[in-house]
Amino acid sequence: MIFDFNPKSQEAANEIGAKFFQGDVSKAESVEAAVAKTVEEFGSLDIAVASAGVGGEGDVVTSTVENWERTNGIDYSGGFYTNKYVTEQLLKQGYGGVVANLASMFGLVAVSNNIAYSASKGGVMDMTRAAGTMHAKEGIRVNAVAPGVIRTPLIDEPTLEQYASLHPAGRVGEAQEVAALITFLASGKAKFITGATIPIDGGYTAV
Ligand SMILES: NC(=O)c1ccc[n+]([C@@H]2O[C@H](COP(=O)([O-])OP(=O)(O)OC[C@H]3O[C@@H](n4cnc5c(N)ncnc54)[C@H](O)[C@@H]3O)[C@@H](O)[C@H]2O)c1
């Protein structure tokens, strides 16, 4: 099931034979409805990736209150709603499950010209620690990934160029590389990993 605000995601769903639910992750009732629809379609919900996000803009002075509320409403509260309703469903099913949250290296180190994003991604990591330990005995694992700058529609070309050399690896990352880490975290090979945030940033936060 693909959950997204943008109706164009229907095309992506068609391409890979997935179902599509159009909703707004910043609205709790929308996320709750998406979880219910997924269970209705597939009989259960076993793995969730909380990825919906926006970039945010502005520093401690230039960020507007609207920008703060929108960015945190989607990137932080949206993450909470997803963790909440998915975990509720996993507990009902009774055999464990997996949640992967999209944090960012900018939750680990400062991005001083984007305070709302920085705060929301730091919050995602703390939420992951709390959610990933609460039901660990019941086999519910919650982890986060903290990517560096990754080539996706979220990042414009000048920003990709600017950041490439700032990663010790000398390049930005690819979406498939992040997907591979999430796939590992969702697999049985990662069954002793919970409450963790794993950087995937070409070494950016290591120096
Ligand atoms: N690209 C990067 O460099 C990078 C780095 C670190 C973390 N991340 C995080 O990874 C996640 C995915 O980002 P991406 O780079 O694939 O960006 P993207 O813009 O390609 O994808 C984000 C998706 O979220 C959807 N979305 C936005 N607001 C929504 C809402 N209110 N409800 C439902 N869906 C909504 C958008 O329609 C879009 O399809 C985000 O949480 C982002 O913060 C990205």
Side-chain angles (χ1 to χ4, degrees), residues 103-111 117-123 125 146-147 205:
S104 164
M105 71 175 181
F106 291 133
L108 288 163
V109 295
V111 55
Y117 189 76
S118 198
S120 72
K121 294 305 186 179
M125 291 181 202
T205 55

Side-chain angles (χ1 to χ4, degrees), residues 2-192:
I2 293 182
F3 173 92
D4 203 291
F5 196 55
N6 187 342
K8 278 200 172 151
S9 295
Q10 178 72 65
E11 291 164 28
N14 292 345
E15 258 174 52
I16 62 168
K19 300 276 179 193
F20 172 59
F21 186 97
Q22 188 185 3
D24 182 347
V25 80
S26 71
K27 305 268 185 286
E29 60 279 12
S30 189
V31 179
E32 193 177 16
V35 169
K37 184 72 184 163
T38 304
V39 175
E40 188 190 312
E41 287 283 349
F42 298 100
S44 68
L45 196 167
D46 306 296
I47 298 168
V49 181
S51 175
V54 290
E57 62 195 7
D59 64 32
V60 63
V61 173
T62 62
S63 170
T64 60
V65 171
E66 290 72 27
N67 168 69
W68 173 269
E69 287 176 350
R70 174 171 187 265
T71 307
N72 279 289
I74 295 171
D75 293 11
Y76 186 32
S77 298
F80 167 61
Y81 304 145
T82 308
N83 280 254
K84 175 178 168 61
Y85 294 115
V86 168
T87 302
E88 235 175 66
Q89 177 60 28
L90 293 176
L91 286 169
K92 247 187 253 169
Q93 291 170 190
Y95 54 82
V98 177
V99 180
N101 292 319
L102 265 292
S104 164
M105 71 175 181
F106 291 133
L108 288 163
V109 295
V111 55
S112 41
N113 64 356
N114 198 343
I115 193 166
Y117 189 76
S118 198
S120 72
K121 294 305 186 179
V124 166
M125 291 181 202
D126 278 331
M127 178 178 66
T128 299
R129 281 187 267 273
T133 48
M134 185 65 209
H135 296 292
K137 283 208 181 88
E138 290 110 304
I140 297 177
R141 297 188 298 105
V142 182
N143 292 295
V145 297
V149 174
I150 309 296
R151 189 187 311 280
T152 73
L154 187 67
I155 314 290
D156 60 32
E157 204 50 47
T159 308
L160 290 174
E161 270 172 41
Q162 177 201 343
Y163 270 100
S165 61
L166 297 177
H167 294 69
R171 64 172 177 87
V172 297
E174 301 297 332
Q176 289 78 359
E177 293 174 303
V178 180
L181 174 58
I182 293 172
T183 305
F184 166 73
L185 287 172
S187 76
K189 288 181 182 156
K191 65 182 179 210
F192 201 49

